[in-house]
Amino acid sequence: MTNPENIVVQLCVQGMQAEARGPDVRARDLFLQTWEAAEDDYDACLAAHYLARHQPTPQETLHWTRNA
C-alpha cells in the first residue's frame, strides 16, 4: 500500500496536478524532485515512471522507462 505521507508520493501527486493544468515544465521539475528524493527502489521506480513521460526525445523516454 502506498503511504500518502511519503514525500515521493506527495510530489508525484503535485506533478500530476501540474500536468492537468497545462505546460509540463512544472510537472517535469516536480518529477525530477521525486527522483532526487527517492529513498528506496519503490520510490525510484515511481519517480522514473513519471519522469519518462516528460522527456524531449524517445531515447531519453526509454532511458527513464528502463529505470522504472
Side-chain angles (χ1 to χ4, degrees):
M1 182 169 192
T2 301
N3 178 359
E5 300 297 317
N6 181 323
I7 187 64
V8 171
V9 171
Q10 292 174 4
L11 287 166
C12 283
V13 169
Q14 291 174 28
M16 288 183 288
Q17 290 169 340
E19 282 178 329
R21 285 193 295 268
D24 62 356
V25 172
R26 175 74 176 135
R28 186 178 189 283
D29 289 345
L30 286 163
F31 296 135
L32 186 55
Q33 288 177 40
T34 68
W35 179 256
E36 294 166 354
E39 294 183 0
D40 58 27
D41 289 343
Y42 176 79
D43 289 350
C45 180
L46 195 60
H49 166 76
Y50 284 103
L51 272 169
R53 296 167 33 165
H54 293 275
Q55 297 306 308
T57 68
Q59 293 81 10
E60 290 175 85
T61 298
L62 181 59
H63 165 78
W64 286 106
T65 300
R66 285 183 174 160
N67 277 329

